[in-house]
Each structure stands twice: as structure tokens, then as C-alpha cells.
Amino acid sequence: MRTEDLIHFCAPGRLIIGNGTRHQLPQLLARLGYRSGVLVTDAFFVEKTPWVHEYTEAAGRLGIATLVYPGGLPDPTTQLCDEATAILRQQLGGEQPDHVIALGGGSNIDLAKALSLTLPQGQPIGAFTGDIGGCRPLPLIALPTTSGTGSEATPGAILLDPANATKIAVMDNALRPQIALIDPEFTYTCPPKVTADAGIDAFTHAIESFLTLDCARFDRGGSPDPGYSGRSALTMLFAKASMRLCFAWMERAYQHGDDTEARVGMAYASIYAALSYGTAGLNAGHGIAYAVAGQTHKSHGSTNAVMLPYVLDALCGTRQSELAEVAGLMGLATSCPDESARRVPVAVRAMIGRLDIPTDLRAFGVEERMLDALVTDALAVTRLAKAFPVADAALAYRQIVLNAWEGRLSGQA
């Protein structure tokens, strides 16, 4: 317990975890009274797996009609959402669905969240950026097929605006899924690169939220129902549980994709990380990673990974005791807290290298002339910069980017 905490914790309405639990979903939805749904996924899951057909057939036998939208794409755009809204509303013929199901990774879940807002009235998703107002989205059921993004427990949908190549956030606690169903069997066939990207994303969520701004100091903008509200003793419990699982299973899942124990371990690591960052929020790691992605167009997991060690290094002063605690989880602790803390970024960078992800910006393809723009773009994500627990975020961001380009960590030999 921390007596100074001001906790505002939100989670999915129902959380279901376990191998084969997807088979329970039709009966659960029938029990809850749902009768007409839209299932948002992509062509791969429709054409290459039995999961969509199995669900629609089982749901149909219980009187639940399901319209499948297979047009999900990586990094969904606002344009894709608006086009999908028009297509689905035409196919529904004026009927109103009573739920939306998302099957896939974070991109499909984000698209489904957006559609839960746009389908009732046919409004463009741009009408909901910043604040969804009094709109009540359709109930959402999320079935993640990767162990990493945590979208099944968060209050936001991230979409790309093709007009200016920037990401927009549609944010409200009403967008948290009513049901998050984590079936590790969905992840068993994930290829190694997807496993690595998703796994390091989960780990980044856990450690970044473990070190972020305290809830007593977090700027909630006067909202009585903030989507993010800073770290608390409660979120930190989930973060530590996630990190332990990542250290135990992440590399094993990457190296041995048929290791079902490792797959289950990472499924738990991912949802625990989501339960932490889905309330605590994130900061510089993701803020700078968004800017790196804008320049390189590389995957979210890898852009997080290349920045993470250098962000951690910048926190060795203000978050020394917490990083020393992480060092203990990694078996790196010494009698000196400062030395223990500085060992963590070095060990995390080595772990990222073992996942075959580049460990500095130069190796990642970022040119030196791009560094100033990188800092500017990262600082423009103000909600994340404000949550970075340092005295001068602008100065810290610049040093982090320079260190990441040069591959320099304070604790390295």
C-alpha cells in the first residue's frame, strides 16, 4: 500500500484466460442476451484458420447472427475505418448490431474499437478524436491472437491519419472491451518475428508503466473518469508479475515456437502488462518509438525495443530503487543500488539483441541528420512526455536519442 496513491483502476468487464476458452464464447454471449454481431478480423484468419468459421457456426446454432468483416490491415487508418463503416452499414441493411468482436492482433482490435463507435450512426471516426462525448460504443469482445499489444484491456484505439501520416488516439474507458478472452492457443502458430515483436512490446508495457509518473502527480485534465491516471501500488503488482513472466518465457517462446508452456507464459505476461499500463499509462519509450516508426515505418515492437534500454538508462537517477528491484528479478542485484539499476538497461539491451532486433538507432537505419526531427516529433506526443518522471523531459529526450544513436549506456563496461 502507498497512502499517497489516488487509484482509478479500469479493466475489461470480464477477463477469461485459458487454452481452448474460445469455445466458451458463443454460450457466454447467448447467456448475456446478444443476438447480432459484427466480427472484425483480416483475410488471414478467415482463409488460413478454422477459428472464424468455428465461431460463426457455433454462435449461429445459439441464435446469434454474425457478420464477418475480413478487411483488417496492419496499422489501420482512419480512411479504412470510415470505409468499413459504410460497407458494414450497407450490409446490415439498417439493422443495428448489439456487439462487435475483434479477432487478431492490436491492429484488428483497434479497428474494432473504432467501429464500435462509428457503426451506430455512421459518423466518421474523426468525429471522436480526443473525446467521444456522450456517445456509447457497442459492447466489444476482444480475442487477441498475439501476446503483446494488450489492446484487449486498454481504453484507446490508435489509428493512422493518412492525411499527415500521424497516429491519432480515440480514447475513453467505454472503449475497454466488455469481454477480453485470452486463449493462448491462438498464439501457437505465431512466426518468430511476430513472437519477438509482441513479446518485447509486452515487456516494454510492463517496465515502462512500472517506472512511470505516480498517480498522485498525474495530470488527469480534471476528468472524473480518466483513461490513464499514473502508476499505483496496484498497477505495479501487475507490472512485476508481467516482467517475471517475460524473463522466464519470452526468449524461449521466440526460440522454440512449439513450446506451449512458453506460449501460455507469454499470454499471461501480456495481459498482466496490459492491466498495468492500461491504467498507469506509458511515457518516453513509446513517445520516442512513435517518432522512430514515423521515420522508419518499422514494426511497433521493434521501435519500442530499440529505444527501451536508453530510456531506462535515463531513469537510473529518478527511478533507482525501482530499477534495482528489476535487477533483482533479473538476478543482477548487487549491494549497491546505483550499480544494480545501471545493470538493467545493459541486460535489457542484450535480451533485445537475442531476439534479433537492432539495439541502436544507427543499426536500425536512422541517419544522424534525422535525430533533431526525431526529438521534435517525439516531444510532440505531449501526453507521454508529460508522464516521463524527470525534471526536464526535452533535455532527457535529446540525450536519450543521442545515446541510442551512439549505442551508449552508463552501465556498460
Side-chain angles (χ1 to χ4, degrees), residues 258-304:
D258 59 350
D259 187 331
T260 57
E261 189 177 15
R263 293 291 193 183
V264 172
M266 285 308 299
Y268 275 90
S270 177
I271 186 60
Y272 288 167
L275 290 171
S276 176
Y277 96 89
T279 286
L282 302 166
N283 49 68
H286 273 66
I288 303 175
Y290 287 151
V292 174
Q295 289 191 359
T296 64
H297 306 290
K298 294 188 178 179
S299 69
H300 179 64
S302 64
T303 53
N304 276 336

Side-chain angles (χ1 to χ4, degrees), residues 178-198:
Q178 294 298 304
I179 301 171
L181 190 150
I182 317 300
D183 187 338
E185 291 180 3
F186 282 140
T187 70
Y188 284 5
T189 56
C190 275
K193 187 179 186 307
V194 175
T195 300
D197 273 16

Side-chain angles (χ1 to χ4, degrees), residues 285-347:
H286 273 66
I288 303 175
Y290 287 151
V292 174
Q295 289 191 359
T296 64
H297 306 290
K298 294 188 178 179
S299 69
H300 179 64
S302 64
T303 53
N304 276 336
V306 74
M307 295 310 309
L308 181 60
Y310 308 97
V311 171
L312 298 179
D313 204 45
L315 293 174
C316 283
T318 57
R319 290 290 186 260
Q320 182 189 93
S321 63
E322 292 90 339
L323 281 165
E325 190 173 354
V326 176
L329 298 178
M330 301 181 79
L332 302 171
T334 71
S335 59
C336 173
D338 183 64
E339 181 184 354
S340 297
R342 294 185 190 279
R343 286 184 171 193
V344 172
V346 178

